[in-house]
Coordinates of all heavy atoms in Angstrom, one line a residue:
M1 N 15.8 -5.7 16.9 CA 15.0 -6.7 16.3 C 14.4 -6.1 15.0 O 14.0 -5.0 15.0 CB 14.0 -7.2 17.2 CG 13.2 -8.4 16.6 SD 11.9 -8.9 17.7 CE 12.3 -10.5 18.0
Q2 N 14.4 -6.9 13.9 CA 13.8 -6.5 12.7 C 12.6 -7.3 12.4 O 12.4 -8.4 12.8 CB 14.8 -6.7 11.5 CG 16.0 -5.7 11.6 CD 16.8 -5.8 10.3 OE1 16.8 -6.8 9.6 NE2 17.5 -4.8 10.0
R3 N 11.7 -6.7 11.6 CA 10.5 -7.4 11.1 C 10.3 -7.0 9.7 O 10.8 -6.0 9.2 CB 9.3 -7.0 11.9 CG 8.8 -5.6 11.9 CD 7.7 -5.4 12.9 NE 7.4 -4.0 13.0 CZ 6.4 -3.3 12.3 NH1 5.6 -4.0 11.5 NH2 6.3 -2.0 12.5
Q4 N 9.6 -7.9 9.0 CA 9.3 -7.7 7.5 C 8.0 -7.1 7.3 O 7.0 -7.4 8.0 CB 9.5 -9.0 6.8 CG 10.9 -9.5 6.6 CD 10.9 -10.6 5.7 OE1 10.0 -11.0 5.1 NE2 12.1 -11.2 5.6
I5 N 7.9 -6.2 6.3 CA 6.6 -5.8 5.8 C 6.6 -6.1 4.3 O 7.6 -6.3 3.6 CB 6.4 -4.2 6.0 CG1 7.6 -3.4 5.4 CG2 6.3 -3.9 7.4 CD1 7.3 -1.9 5.4
L6 N 5.4 -6.3 3.8 CA 5.2 -6.6 2.4 C 4.3 -5.6 1.8 O 3.2 -5.3 2.3 CB 4.5 -8.0 2.3 CG 4.2 -8.5 0.9 CD1 5.5 -8.8 0.2 CD2 3.4 -9.8 1.0
F7 N 4.7 -5.0 0.6 CA 3.8 -4.1 -0.1 C 3.9 -4.3 -1.5 O 4.8 -5.0 -2.0 CB 4.2 -2.6 0.3 CG 5.6 -2.2 -0.2 CD1 5.8 -1.6 -1.4 CD2 6.7 -2.4 0.6 CE1 7.0 -1.2 -1.8 CE2 8.0 -2.1 0.2 CZ 8.1 -1.4 -1.0
R8 N 3.0 -3.8 -2.3 CA 3.0 -3.9 -3.7 C 3.5 -2.6 -4.4 O 2.9 -1.5 -4.1 CB 1.6 -4.2 -4.2 CG 1.5 -4.4 -5.8 CD 0.1 -4.8 -6.2 NE -0.4 -6.0 -5.6 CZ -0.2 -7.2 -6.0 NH1 0.4 -7.4 -7.2 NH2 -0.7 -8.3 -5.4
C9 N 4.5 -2.7 -5.2 CA 5.1 -1.6 -5.9 C 4.0 -1.0 -6.9 O 3.5 -1.8 -7.7 CB 6.3 -2.0 -6.6 SG 7.0 -0.6 -7.7
P10 N 3.7 0.3 -6.8 CA 2.7 0.8 -7.7 C 3.1 1.0 -9.1 O 2.3 1.0 -10.0 CB 2.4 2.2 -7.1 CG 3.6 2.6 -6.3 CD 4.2 1.3 -5.8
R11 N 4.4 1.0 -9.4 CA 5.0 1.1 -10.7 C 5.0 -0.2 -11.4 O 4.7 -0.4 -12.6 CB 6.3 1.7 -10.7 CG 6.3 3.2 -10.4 CD 7.6 3.8 -10.7 NE 7.6 5.2 -10.4 CZ 8.6 6.0 -10.6 NH1 9.7 5.6 -10.9 NH2 8.4 7.3 -10.4
T12 N 5.5 -1.3 -10.7 CA 5.7 -2.6 -11.4 C 4.7 -3.6 -11.1 O 4.5 -4.6 -11.8 CB 7.1 -3.2 -11.0 OG1 7.1 -3.4 -9.5 CG2 8.2 -2.2 -11.3
G13 N 3.9 -3.4 -10.0 CA 2.9 -4.3 -9.5 C 3.5 -5.5 -8.8 O 2.8 -6.4 -8.4
M14 N 4.8 -5.5 -8.6 CA 5.4 -6.6 -7.9 C 5.3 -6.5 -6.4 O 5.2 -5.4 -5.8 CB 6.9 -6.7 -8.2 CG 7.2 -6.9 -9.7 SD 9.0 -6.8 -10.0 CE 9.7 -8.1 -9.0
N15 N 5.2 -7.7 -5.7 CA 5.2 -7.7 -4.2 C 6.6 -7.5 -3.8 O 7.5 -8.2 -4.3 CB 4.6 -9.0 -3.7 CG 3.1 -9.1 -3.9 OD1 2.4 -8.1 -3.9 ND2 2.6 -10.3 -4.0
V16 N 6.8 -6.6 -2.8 CA 8.2 -6.3 -2.3 C 8.2 -6.5 -0.8 O 7.3 -6.1 -0.1 CB 8.5 -4.8 -2.7 CG1 9.9 -4.5 -2.1 CG2 8.4 -4.6 -4.2
Q17 N 9.3 -7.2 -0.4 CA 9.5 -7.4 1.0 C 10.5 -6.4 1.5 O 11.5 -6.1 0.8 CB 10.0 -8.8 1.3 CG 9.0 -9.9 1.1 CD 9.6 -11.2 1.5 OE1 10.8 -11.3 2.0 NE2 8.8 -12.2 1.3
H18 N 10.4 -5.8 2.7 CA 11.3 -4.9 3.2 C 11.4 -5.1 4.7 O 10.4 -5.3 5.4 CB 10.9 -3.4 2.9 CG 11.8 -2.4 3.4 ND1 13.0 -2.1 2.7 CD2 11.8 -1.6 4.5 CE1 13.6 -1.2 3.4 NE2 12.9 -0.8 4.5
R19 N 12.6 -5.1 5.2 CA 12.9 -5.2 6.7 C 13.0 -3.9 7.3 O 13.7 -3.0 6.8 CB 14.1 -6.0 6.9 CG 14.0 -7.5 6.6 CD 15.3 -8.2 6.9 NE 15.2 -9.5 6.4 CZ 15.3 -10.6 7.2 NH1 15.5 -10.4 8.5 NH2 15.1 -11.8 6.7
I20 N 12.3 -3.7 8.4 CA 12.4 -2.4 9.2 C 12.9 -2.8 10.6 O 12.6 -3.9 11.1 CB 11.1 -1.6 9.2 CG1 10.0 -2.4 9.8 CG2 10.7 -1.2 7.8 CD1 8.7 -1.6 10.0
D21 N 13.6 -1.8 11.2 CA 14.0 -2.0 12.6 C 12.8 -1.7 13.5 O 12.1 -0.8 13.3 CB 15.1 -1.0 12.9 CG 16.4 -1.4 12.3 OD1 16.7 -2.6 12.1 OD2 17.2 -0.5 11.9
D22 N 12.7 -2.6 14.5 CA 11.5 -2.5 15.4 C 12.1 -2.0 16.7 O 12.1 -2.7 17.7 CB 10.9 -3.9 15.6 CG 9.4 -3.8 15.7 OD1 8.9 -2.7 15.6 OD2 8.8 -4.8 16.0
E23 N 12.5 -0.7 16.7 CA 13.2 -0.1 17.9 C 12.2 0.2 19.0 O 12.4 0.1 20.2 CB 13.9 1.2 17.5 CG 15.1 0.9 16.6 CD 15.7 2.1 16.0 OE1 15.2 3.2 16.3 OE2 16.7 2.0 15.3
Q24 N 11.0 0.6 18.6 CA 9.9 1.0 19.6 C 9.0 -0.2 19.7 O 8.8 -0.9 18.7 CB 9.1 2.2 19.1 CG 9.9 3.4 19.0 CD 9.1 4.6 18.5 OE1 7.9 4.4 18.1 NE2 9.6 5.8 18.5
P25 N 8.4 -0.4 20.8 CA 7.3 -1.4 20.9 C 6.2 -1.1 20.0 O 5.9 0.1 19.7 CB 6.9 -1.4 22.4 CG 7.9 -0.6 23.1 CD 8.6 0.2 22.1
V26 N 5.6 -2.1 19.4 CA 4.5 -1.9 18.4 C 3.3 -1.2 19.0 O 2.7 -0.4 18.3 CB 4.0 -3.3 17.9 CG1 2.9 -3.1 16.9 CG2 5.2 -4.0 17.2
S27 N 3.1 -1.4 20.3 CA 1.9 -0.7 20.9 C 2.1 0.8 21.0 O 1.1 1.6 21.0 CB 1.7 -1.2 22.3 OG 2.8 -1.0 23.1
C28 N 3.3 1.3 20.9 CA 3.6 2.8 21.0 C 3.5 3.4 19.6 O 3.5 4.6 19.5 CB 5.0 3.1 21.6 SG 5.1 2.6 23.3
E29 N 3.6 2.6 18.6 CA 3.6 3.1 17.2 C 2.2 3.4 16.7 O 1.4 2.5 16.7 CB 4.3 2.0 16.3 CG 4.7 2.5 15.0 CD 5.5 1.5 14.2 OE1 6.6 1.2 14.7 OE2 5.0 1.0 13.3
P30 N 1.9 4.6 16.3 CA 0.6 4.9 15.8 C 0.3 4.1 14.5 O 1.2 3.8 13.8 CB 0.6 6.4 15.5 CG 2.0 6.8 15.5 CD 2.8 5.7 16.3
A31 N -1.0 3.8 14.3 CA -1.4 3.0 13.2 C -1.2 3.7 11.9 O -1.2 3.1 10.8 CB -2.9 2.6 13.3
D32 N -1.1 5.1 11.9 CA -0.9 5.8 10.7 C 0.5 6.4 10.5 O 0.6 7.4 9.9 CB -2.0 6.9 10.6 CG -1.8 7.9 11.7 OD1 -1.1 7.6 12.7 OD2 -2.4 9.0 11.7
S33 N 1.5 5.7 11.0 CA 2.8 6.1 10.8 C 3.4 5.5 9.6 O 3.3 4.3 9.3 CB 3.7 5.9 12.0 OG 3.9 4.5 12.2
Y34 N 4.1 6.3 8.7 CA 4.6 5.8 7.5 C 6.1 6.0 7.5 O 6.7 6.9 8.1 CB 4.0 6.6 6.3 CG 2.6 6.3 6.0 CD1 1.6 6.9 6.8 CD2 2.2 5.3 5.1 CE1 0.2 6.5 6.6 CE2 0.9 5.0 4.8 CZ -0.1 5.6 5.6 OH -1.4 5.3 5.4
I35 N 6.8 5.1 6.8 CA 8.2 5.2 6.6 C 8.6 5.3 5.1 O 7.8 4.9 4.3 CB 8.9 3.9 7.2 CG1 8.4 2.6 6.6 CG2 8.8 3.9 8.7 CD1 9.2 1.4 7.0
V36 N 9.7 5.8 4.9 CA 10.2 6.0 3.5 C 11.0 4.7 3.2 O 11.9 4.4 3.9 CB 11.0 7.2 3.3 CG1 11.5 7.3 1.8 CG2 10.2 8.5 3.6
V37 N 10.6 4.1 2.0 CA 11.3 2.8 1.6 C 11.8 3.0 0.2 O 11.0 3.4 -0.7 CB 10.3 1.6 1.7 CG1 10.9 0.4 1.2 CG2 9.9 1.4 3.2
R38 N 13.0 2.6 0.0 CA 13.5 2.6 -1.4 C 13.2 1.2 -2.0 O 13.6 0.2 -1.5 CB 15.0 2.8 -1.5 CG 15.5 2.7 -3.0 CD 16.8 3.2 -3.3 NE 17.1 4.6 -2.9 CZ 16.8 5.6 -3.7 NH1 16.2 5.4 -4.9 NH2 17.1 6.8 -3.3
C39 N 12.3 1.2 -3.0 CA 11.8 0.0 -3.6 C 12.8 -0.6 -4.5 O 13.3 0.0 -5.4 CB 10.6 0.4 -4.4 SG 9.8 -1.0 -5.2
P40 N 13.2 -1.9 -4.2 CA 14.2 -2.6 -5.1 C 13.6 -2.9 -6.5 O 14.3 -3.2 -7.4 CB 14.5 -3.8 -4.3 CG 13.4 -4.1 -3.4 CD 12.8 -2.7 -3.1
A41 N 12.3 -2.9 -6.6 CA 11.7 -3.3 -7.9 C 11.8 -2.1 -8.9 O 12.0 -2.3 -10.1 CB 10.2 -3.6 -7.7
C42 N 11.6 -0.8 -8.4 CA 11.6 0.3 -9.4 C 12.7 1.4 -9.0 O 12.8 2.3 -9.7 CB 10.3 0.9 -9.5 SG 9.7 1.8 -8.0
M43 N 13.3 1.2 -7.8 CA 14.3 2.1 -7.3 C 13.8 3.5 -7.0 O 14.5 4.4 -6.9 CB 15.5 2.2 -8.3 CG 16.2 0.9 -8.6 SD 16.7 0.0 -7.1 CE 18.0 1.1 -6.4
S44 N 12.5 3.6 -6.8 CA 11.9 4.8 -6.3 C 11.6 4.8 -4.8 O 11.7 3.7 -4.2 CB 10.6 5.1 -7.0 OG 10.8 5.3 -8.4
L45 N 11.3 5.9 -4.3 CA 10.9 6.0 -2.9 C 9.4 5.9 -2.7 O 8.6 6.5 -3.5 CB 11.3 7.3 -2.2 CG 12.9 7.5 -2.2 CD1 13.1 8.9 -1.6 CD2 13.5 6.5 -1.4
H46 N 8.9 5.1 -1.8 CA 7.5 4.9 -1.5 C 7.3 5.2 0.0 O 8.2 4.9 0.8 CB 7.0 3.5 -1.8 CG 7.2 3.1 -3.2 ND1 6.8 3.8 -4.3 CD2 7.8 2.0 -3.7 CE1 7.1 3.2 -5.4 NE2 7.7 2.1 -5.1
F47 N 6.2 5.7 0.4 CA 5.8 5.9 1.8 C 4.9 4.7 2.1 O 3.8 4.5 1.6 CB 5.0 7.2 2.0 CG 5.8 8.4 1.9 CD1 5.9 9.1 0.7 CD2 6.5 8.8 2.9 CE1 6.7 10.2 0.6 CE2 7.3 10.0 2.8 CZ 7.4 10.7 1.6
V48 N 5.4 3.8 3.1 CA 4.7 2.6 3.4 C 4.3 2.7 4.9 O 5.1 3.1 5.7 CB 5.7 1.4 3.2 CG1 5.0 0.1 3.5 CG2 6.1 1.4 1.7
N49 N 3.1 2.3 5.2 CA 2.6 2.2 6.6 C 3.4 1.1 7.3 O 3.4 0.0 6.8 CB 1.1 1.9 6.6 CG 0.5 2.0 8.0 OD1 1.0 1.3 8.9 ND2 -0.5 2.8 8.1
S50 N 4.0 1.5 8.4 CA 4.9 0.5 9.1 C 4.1 -0.6 9.8 O 4.7 -1.6 10.2 CB 5.8 1.3 10.1 OG 5.0 2.0 11.0
T51 N 2.8 -0.4 10.0 CA 2.0 -1.4 10.6 C 1.3 -2.3 9.6 O 1.4 -3.6 9.7 CB 1.0 -0.8 11.5 OG1 1.6 0.1 12.4 CG2 0.2 -1.8 12.3
T52 N 0.7 -1.7 8.6 CA -0.1 -2.5 7.7 C 0.6 -2.9 6.4 O 0.2 -3.8 5.7 CB -1.4 -1.8 7.3 OG1 -1.0 -0.6 6.6 CG2 -2.2 -1.4 8.5
G53 N 1.6 -2.1 6.0 CA 2.3 -2.4 4.8 C 1.7 -1.8 3.6 O 2.1 -2.0 2.4
K54 N 0.6 -1.0 3.8 CA -0.1 -0.3 2.7 C 0.7 1.0 2.3 O 1.2 1.7 3.2 CB -1.5 0.0 3.0 CG -2.4 -1.2 3.1 CD -3.8 -0.9 3.2 CE -4.6 -2.1 3.2 NZ -6.0 -1.9 3.0
L55 N 0.6 1.3 1.0 CA 1.2 2.6 0.6 C 0.3 3.8 1.0 O -0.9 3.6 1.2 CB 1.4 2.6 -0.9 CG 2.3 1.5 -1.5 CD1 2.3 1.5 -3.0 CD2 3.7 1.8 -1.0
L56 N 0.9 4.9 1.0 CA 0.2 6.1 1.5 C -1.0 6.4 0.6 O -2.0 6.8 1.1 CB 1.2 7.3 1.5 CG 0.7 8.7 1.9 CD1 0.2 8.6 3.4 CD2 1.7 9.7 1.8
N57 N -0.9 6.2 -0.7 CA -2.0 6.6 -1.6 C -3.0 5.4 -1.8 O -3.9 5.5 -2.5 CB -1.5 7.0 -3.0 CG -0.7 5.9 -3.7 OD1 -0.4 4.9 -3.1 ND2 -0.3 6.2 -4.9
E58 N -2.7 4.2 -1.2 CA -3.7 3.1 -1.3 C -4.9 3.4 -0.5 O -4.9 3.9 0.6 CB -3.1 1.8 -0.8 CG -2.2 1.1 -1.8 CD -1.8 -0.3 -1.2 OE1 -2.2 -0.7 -0.1 OE2 -1.0 -0.9 -1.9
R59 N -6.1 3.1 -1.1 CA -7.3 3.3 -0.4 C -7.7 1.9 0.2 O -7.3 0.9 -0.3 CB -8.4 3.7 -1.4 CG -8.1 5.1 -1.9 CD -9.2 5.6 -2.8 NE -8.9 6.9 -3.3 CZ -9.5 7.4 -4.3 NH1 -10.5 6.8 -4.9 NH2 -9.1 8.6 -4.7
S60 N -8.6 1.9 1.1 CA -9.1 0.7 1.7 C -9.9 0.0 0.6 O -10.5 0.6 -0.3 CB -9.9 0.9 2.9 OG -11.0 1.7 2.6
E61 N -10.1 -1.3 0.7 CA -10.8 -2.1 -0.2 C -12.3 -1.6 -0.2 O -13.0 -1.7 0.7 CB -10.8 -3.6 0.1 CG -9.4 -4.2 0.0 CD -8.9 -4.2 -1.4 OE1 -9.7 -4.4 -2.3 OE2 -7.7 -3.9 -1.6
Q62 N -12.7 -1.1 -1.4 CA -14.1 -0.6 -1.5 C -14.7 -1.3 -2.8 O -14.0 -1.4 -3.8 CB -14.1 0.9 -1.7 CG -13.7 1.6 -0.5 CD -13.7 3.2 -0.7 OE1 -14.0 3.6 -1.8 NE2 -13.3 3.9 0.3
P63 N -15.9 -1.6 -2.8 CA -16.5 -2.2 -3.9 C -16.6 -1.2 -5.1 O -16.7 0.0 -4.9 CB -17.9 -2.6 -3.5 CG -18.2 -1.8 -2.3 CD -16.8 -1.5 -1.7
V64 N -16.4 -1.7 -6.3 CA -16.4 -0.9 -7.5 C -17.9 -0.5 -7.8 O -18.7 -1.4 -7.8 CB -15.8 -1.6 -8.7 CG1 -15.9 -0.8 -9.9 CG2 -14.4 -2.0 -8.4
S65 N -18.1 0.8 -7.9 CA -19.5 1.2 -8.2 C -19.7 1.2 -9.7 O -18.8 1.5 -10.5 CB -19.8 2.6 -7.6 OG -18.9 3.5 -8.2
T66 N -20.9 0.9 -10.1 CA -21.3 1.0 -11.5 C -22.1 2.2 -11.8 O -22.8 2.7 -10.9 CB -22.1 -0.3 -11.9 OG1 -23.3 -0.4 -11.1 CG2 -21.3 -1.5 -11.8
P67 N -22.1 2.8 -13.0 CA -22.9 4.0 -13.3 C -24.3 3.7 -13.2 O -24.8 2.5 -13.5 CB -22.4 4.4 -14.6 CG -21.6 3.3 -15.2 CD -21.2 2.4 -14.1
R68 N -25.1 4.7 -12.9 CA -26.6 4.5 -12.9 C -27.1 4.3 -14.3 O -26.5 4.7 -15.2 CB -27.2 5.7 -12.3 CG -27.0 5.9 -10.8 CD -27.8 7.0 -10.3 NE -27.6 7.1 -8.8 CZ -28.4 7.6 -8.0 NH1 -29.5 8.1 -8.4 NH2 -28.2 7.6 -6.7
G69 N -28.2 3.5 -14.3 CA -28.8 3.3 -15.6 C -28.3 2.0 -16.3 O -28.8 1.7 -17.4
G70 N -27.4 1.3 -15.6 CA -27.0 0.0 -16.2 C -26.2 0.1 -17.5 O -26.4 -0.7 -18.3
A71 N -25.3 1.1 -17.6 CA -24.6 1.3 -18.8 C -23.7 0.1 -19.1 O -23.4 -0.2 -20.3 CB -23.8 2.5 -18.8
L72 N -23.3 -0.6 -18.1 CA -22.4 -1.8 -18.3 C -23.1 -3.0 -18.8 O -22.5 -3.8 -19.5 CB -21.7 -2.1 -17.0 CG -20.7 -1.1 -16.5 CD1 -20.1 -1.6 -15.2 CD2 -19.6 -0.8 -17.5
N73 N -24.4 -3.1 -18.6 CA -25.0 -4.3 -19.1 C -25.8 -4.1 -20.4 O -26.6 -4.9 -20.8 CB -26.0 -4.9 -18.0 CG -27.1 -3.9 -17.7 OD1 -27.3 -2.9 -18.4 ND2 -27.8 -4.2 -16.7
G74 N -25.6 -3.0 -21.1 CA -26.1 -2.7 -22.4 C -27.6 -2.3 -22.4 O -28.3 -2.5 -23.4
S75 N -28.1 -1.9 -21.2 CA -29.5 -1.5 -21.2 C -29.8 -0.1 -21.8 O -30.9 0.2 -22.0 CB -30.0 -1.5 -19.7 OG -29.3 -0.6 -19.0
Q76 N -28.8 0.7 -22.1 CA -29.0 1.9 -22.7 C -29.1 1.7 -24.2 O -28.4 1.0 -24.8 CB -27.8 2.9 -22.5 CG -27.8 3.4 -21.1 CD -26.7 4.4 -20.9 OE1 -25.7 4.4 -21.6 NE2 -26.8 5.3 -19.9
R77 N -30.1 2.4 -24.8 CA -30.3 2.2 -26.2 C -29.7 3.5 -27.0 O -29.8 4.6 -26.5 CB -31.8 2.1 -26.5 CG -32.4 0.9 -25.9 CD -33.9 0.8 -26.2 NE -34.5 -0.2 -25.3 CZ -34.8 -1.4 -25.8 NH1 -34.6 -1.7 -27.0 NH2 -35.4 -2.2 -24.9
T78 N -29.2 3.2 -28.1 CA -28.7 4.3 -28.9 C -29.7 4.8 -30.0 O -30.5 4.1 -30.4 CB -27.4 4.0 -29.6 OG1 -27.6 2.8 -30.3 CG2 -26.3 3.8 -28.5

């Protein structure tokens, strides 16, 4: 049986679908197992998590931090 995973190509930014064989039951597959996928968008190899579809170098969603002192809102004087 096959299942689809969806990931975003880091080179093109396109969403890519890929089918993988589901030979083992999902409960036996560790959450941090990665497979090598040839990306049809850029023709490169990517390591994709077979459970979540995230790339190996993707970080979990974290809020963007701003520098101290409010440099983004123009509070620093020159």
Side-chain angles (χ1 to χ4, degrees):
M1 182 184 240
Q2 289 188 337
R3 62 185 172 100
Q4 285 190 5
I5 56 172
L6 180 68
F7 65 94
R8 183 177 302 269
C9 174
R11 287 190 176 180
T12 65
M14 295 175 63
N15 288 333
V16 178
Q17 291 182 3
H18 182 76
R19 289 180 186 242
I20 60 173
D21 289 327
D22 217 6
E23 295 172 356
Q24 297 178 352
V26 176
S27 61
C28 293
E29 193 171 293
D32 61 347
S33 69
Y34 289 83
I35 57 172
V36 178
V37 173
R38 177 164 304 273
C39 178
C42 70
M43 299 308 293
S44 293
L45 296 177
H46 302 307
F47 290 96
V48 180
N49 186 304
S50 59
T51 304
T52 65
K54 290 191 175 194
L55 296 173
L56 183 61
N57 62 352
E58 275 186 7
R59 295 182 181 166
S60 61
E61 294 294 322
Q62 296 177 357
V64 176
S65 61
T66 57
R68 290 185 176 205
L72 292 179
N73 63 10
S75 63
Q76 288 184 338
R77 298 179 192 256
T78 56

